[in-house]
Each structure stands twice: as structure tokens, then as C-alpha cells.
Amino acid sequence: MGTITKIGQIGVPAKNIERATAFYKEQLGLQLLFTTDTMAFFDCDGVRLFISLPEKEEFAHSSSILYFHVEDIQQAYEEYKEKGIVFIDEPHVVAKMGQTETWMVFFKDTEDNMHALMSEVVVR
């Protein structure tokens, strides 16, 4: 059947594969699956994150924003700051839905791609 059932892999362009691999492995702490001379593959809870040097110029643009889910956004923000990740803002509420708040904080990777940490917080 041709129905889409899930996202199997997300590609993120890199300018320097060694620097990008170190960022996602050492600073974000993602599990490295394997590398080649131009690619690195990480596991993100069953979704493969594919970091690569672009094959063609049309693939060399910044990626879509990846929103990495964390349980405690304030704690994650502090821990990642200690690992040298530079955030462009501080954790903040972006939406309120009933008793749930969605919090986000944005950062760039070493390849100038924008990403975010996100957390769903139940307010009592």
C-alpha cells in the first residue's frame, strides 16, 4: 500500500561533516548509528536523522526546523547551554491549550540550521 505511515528519515545539510557530526553526537547527545565520508546517521527515537554534505547546490540550503522534544525544557536549556549550545532566546510559552502549555527555545547548529527544544507542560 502507498499510504504514508510515518517519517523514516529527516535530512539536514552540513557544510562540514566532522563538525556537524560532533555537534549532534557530543552536544545534543543523539545516538550515532554510522558515518561515511559525507554523511552521518543518528537515531532519534526511531526516526533517523541524516546529516550530509549536499550532493548538489539545490540541497545546500538551511533545513526545516527540527523540534526536539524534552520533558523539562528549563533543565534541558541549562544543560545544553553548559555543553556550549548557543540559544537565540530563552524558553517561553508559544501556545496554551486548556491546561497544557507548549514551551520552546530556539538554537542554531554548527551549520547554521535553526532548531528548537520543545516541551508540553501541564498547568494545574
Side-chain angles (χ1 to χ4, degrees):
M1 179 174 245
T3 305
I4 294 173
T5 60
K6 67 177 184 175
I7 292 175
Q9 179 169 288
I10 297 172
V12 175
K15 297 173 183 106
N16 179 304
I17 195 66
E18 293 83 13
R19 178 179 64 203
T21 300
F23 177 83
Y24 286 91
K25 181 180 177 191
E26 304 302 327
Q27 290 183 276
L28 288 185
L30 297 182
Q31 179 188 355
L32 178 65
L33 297 172
F34 62 95
T35 62
T36 71
D37 291 344
T38 60
M39 299 177 270
F41 293 83
F42 294 88
D43 178 57
C44 195
D45 195 26
V47 176
R48 212 168 35 206
L49 184 58
F50 166 56
I51 312 297
S52 70
L53 297 177
E55 287 184 50
K56 299 177 182 176
E57 182 58 33
E58 61 257 34
F59 298 125
H61 306 290
S62 295
S63 70
S64 297
I65 297 174
L66 300 180
Y67 294 85
F68 294 100
H69 185 269
V70 295
E71 291 299 319
D72 184 329
I73 197 164
Q74 294 291 344
Q75 180 182 351
Y77 171 73
E78 294 301 328
E79 289 175 4
Y80 285 126
K81 270 180 38 177
E82 288 176 16
K83 289 184 172 188
I85 293 178
V86 179
F87 289 88
I88 64 165
D89 57 3
E90 295 186 358
H92 58 282
V93 175
V94 295
K96 293 182 181 187
M97 298 159 287
Q99 293 187 316
T100 302
E101 295 178 342
T102 301
W103 284 69
M104 291 186 190
V105 61
F106 292 85
F107 64 94
K108 286 192 175 186
D109 69 10
T110 55
E111 311 310 293
D112 210 31
N113 296 299
M114 181 72 67
H115 299 310
L117 300 179
M118 66 173 289
S119 187
E120 302 289 330
V121 179
V122 177
V123 181
R124 299 188 197 286

